[in-house]
Amino acid sequence: MRSVPEPDRSEWVARMRERARLDADELVPRPPFRVFGLAAPQLQPVALVEAGRVNGEWDSIGLAYGDWAQPAGPWMIVTTSAREAAAAGREAAAAGREAAAAGREAEAVLLRVIDQERNRIASHAGVDEEDPDEPPDYSAMDLAVGSESVSGLAVRHGNIWTAQALAGGLSLTVLGRGVDPGSVRLDQVVDLAPYLHGRSEMLGRLAEQYRRQPPPVLEPASGVAACRALAEAALAAQARLVEALRAGRSARHRAGDGATMHALWQRAVREQARIGGIGERQADEIVTLMVNHLTHLQEQAGWFATEPRLREAAIDETLRHTVSGEDVPSKPAQQGWAYYWAQRRSVADQDPGPALIARREVGEPLLSAWLQAWTAWAAGR
């Protein structure tokens, strides 16, 4: 897992606006495959909220209905996916052999959709929604699609419900807040222009909302302590992600998490630049190396999670070596990571092909040597 600096909110909106412009050039006047949207109930405004590609080809399009900033709704998202339909077909073919496993995965997919919606409302509306005490309620659902009815799986968890079904070789995922599932009817959307316009309007409101929000208030820290605060936040975020993945869920985000991480990162860069007497670009590279070193160590070394004394010493030595240039007992591991990270960065700059594959293979021994150096360090303490 690679950690990268969090963009600030204005940068994110600017990128989304540019993406919307590029999407509009290709998706209007008609999408590349049949796209379904909400025919009933009629909700306004409408917006395109997802347009995904695989290998350069459009494969999923999500359309939203209602006010995105109202946690109570009414709000709906209808996502049409060609890729997920193919995957669902493979699961159905294997269902005779592993029906229980396929069913659990289908349920997990729906829960991840709800996780992502709760993350969206935290980011867009600044509202943290806790998981309800009651377990998810799964049921079969007949979904009206045009003049037909298709059967699928639905789940309700708290104030959100979602359902997924196959229709005409496509996968349809429907999510709702404040809308009765029995009132929902889908139909084909032939012109995405209103939805692309709606996305521009939505991004404009988001930009204004983000502009009005005050910057996060950080606990005072300077020097190495500022870098440590960032490292601890990154390690905690990674731990939450791993825990969620193990449970088959999407990691949950709290309102303001992105802005706080961005502020922590920028403060660490400024302090690194001040300590080293270097420019902020070089300082950012050092901070990036440090954060990825520690998150990789947490991911790869079992003792990092189970031995608090070793964890504390490893973080301390990594910060002292990377930020301040001190000579530390774990220097072989510190140098091993620097070699590996330099090699990885050079690979990232290459075009795909045989040379890139060969360079990636070179990186595996470097990573192994780095972990062995840490193992030796831990055994000697």
Side-chain angles (χ1 to χ4, degrees):
M1 300 176 185
R2 180 170 179 264
S3 298
V4 295
E6 287 275 351
D8 68 22
R9 292 168 292 193
S10 60
E11 289 174 354
W12 179 85
V13 171
R15 286 208 306 265
M16 291 301 99
R17 280 179 160 165
E18 176 60 15
R19 178 179 170 184
R21 185 187 67 79
L22 296 174
D23 289 350
D25 293 341
E26 296 191 35
L27 291 175
V28 174
R30 59 182 182 273
F33 53 84
R34 287 195 304 160
V35 173
F36 289 89
L38 187 64
Q42 294 187 358
L43 301 178
Q44 292 291 332
V46 301
L48 186 144
V49 291
E50 178 186 346
R53 295 176 186 250
V54 170
N55 297 325
E57 298 292 331
W58 294 108
D59 77 316
S60 65
I61 293 177
L63 306 178
Y65 302 81
D67 191 341
W68 50 267
Q70 294 299 322
W75 164 262
M76 289 201 65
I77 302 176
V78 180
T79 303
T80 307
S81 175
R83 177 187 70 243
E84 291 180 6
R90 290 192 297 271
E91 290 177 5
R97 298 189 303 274
E98 301 175 349
R104 287 193 298 271
E105 176 56 25
E107 293 177 355
V109 167
L110 292 180
L111 274 185
R112 288 194 289 271
V113 172
I114 290 178
D115 288 337
Q116 291 157 13
E117 168 62 12
R118 295 200 191 282
N119 285 340
R120 183 199 66 80
I121 203 70
S123 175
H124 290 179
V127 175
D128 289 324
E129 293 183 329
E130 302 296 340
D131 280 351
D133 293 334
E134 67 271 14
D137 182 17
Y138 296 95
S139 62
M141 177 177 175
D142 291 330
L143 187 63
V145 182
S147 59
E148 301 179 350
S149 178
V150 296
S151 298
L153 177 67
V155 61
R156 178 180 289 277
H157 203 207
N159 63 334
I160 304 175
W161 64 269
T162 185
Q164 194 168 67
L166 296 179
L170 297 166
S171 174
L172 303 180
T173 303
V174 183
L175 177 139
R177 291 173 176 269
V179 177
D180 178 9
S183 70
V184 172
R185 181 171 63 84
L186 308 183
D187 213 339
Q188 185 174 352
V189 174
V190 295
D191 184 6
L192 293 178
Y195 296 88
L196 288 155
H197 176 74
R199 178 163 69 171
S200 296
E201 294 289 328
M202 181 182 72
L203 289 172
R205 285 184 59 191
L206 272 173
E208 178 62 19
Q209 177 174 300
Y210 289 157
R211 186 186 67 79
R212 292 179 177 179
Q213 290 178 358
V217 178
L218 304 179
E219 291 291 332
S222 61
V224 175
C227 296
R228 185 183 186 95
L230 170 63
E232 292 286 6
L235 289 167
Q238 185 201 45
R240 290 193 298 270
L241 173 60
V242 170
E243 182 180 3
L245 291 175
R246 287 173 178 168
R249 303 288 294 269
S250 293
R252 290 288 302 279
H253 306 148
R254 311 295 292 181
D257 277 357
T260 298
M261 183 64 77
H262 176 76
L264 287 168
W265 196 293
Q266 294 305 309
R267 184 178 67 178
V269 168
R270 291 193 299 271
E271 289 301 294
Q272 178 63 62
R274 181 183 63 81
I275 292 169
I278 55 179
E280 289 202 354
R281 181 172 180 176
Q282 185 180 355
D284 185 79
E285 293 176 354
I286 293 173
V287 169
T288 301
L289 178 144
M290 177 269 295
V291 170
N292 282 276
H293 189 174
L294 290 173
T295 54
H296 271 71
L297 189 58
Q298 179 170 258
E299 183 180 353
Q300 297 292 328
W303 53 262
F304 194 92
T306 60
E307 300 285 343
R309 180 180 61 84
L310 293 179
R311 179 187 188 276
E312 176 67 22
I315 294 173
D316 178 68
E317 291 190 18
T318 299
L319 289 167
R320 286 163 49 203
H321 179 82
T322 307
V323 177
S324 305
E326 294 184 31
D327 193 8
V328 293
S330 60
K331 184 175 180 179
Q334 306 292 340
Q335 292 177 328
W337 178 259
Y339 296 149
Y340 167 74
W341 192 248
Q343 190 272 342
R344 178 166 176 168
R345 287 186 58 202
S346 69
V347 167
D349 294 336
Q350 294 186 24
D351 294 327
L356 176 59
I357 295 173
R359 293 296 296 275
R360 282 176 175 165
E361 291 175 350
V362 170
E364 292 304 315
L366 292 176
L367 191 62
S368 178
W370 159 76
L371 188 56
Q372 288 174 7
W374 271 118
T375 301
W377 171 87
R381 292 188 65 89

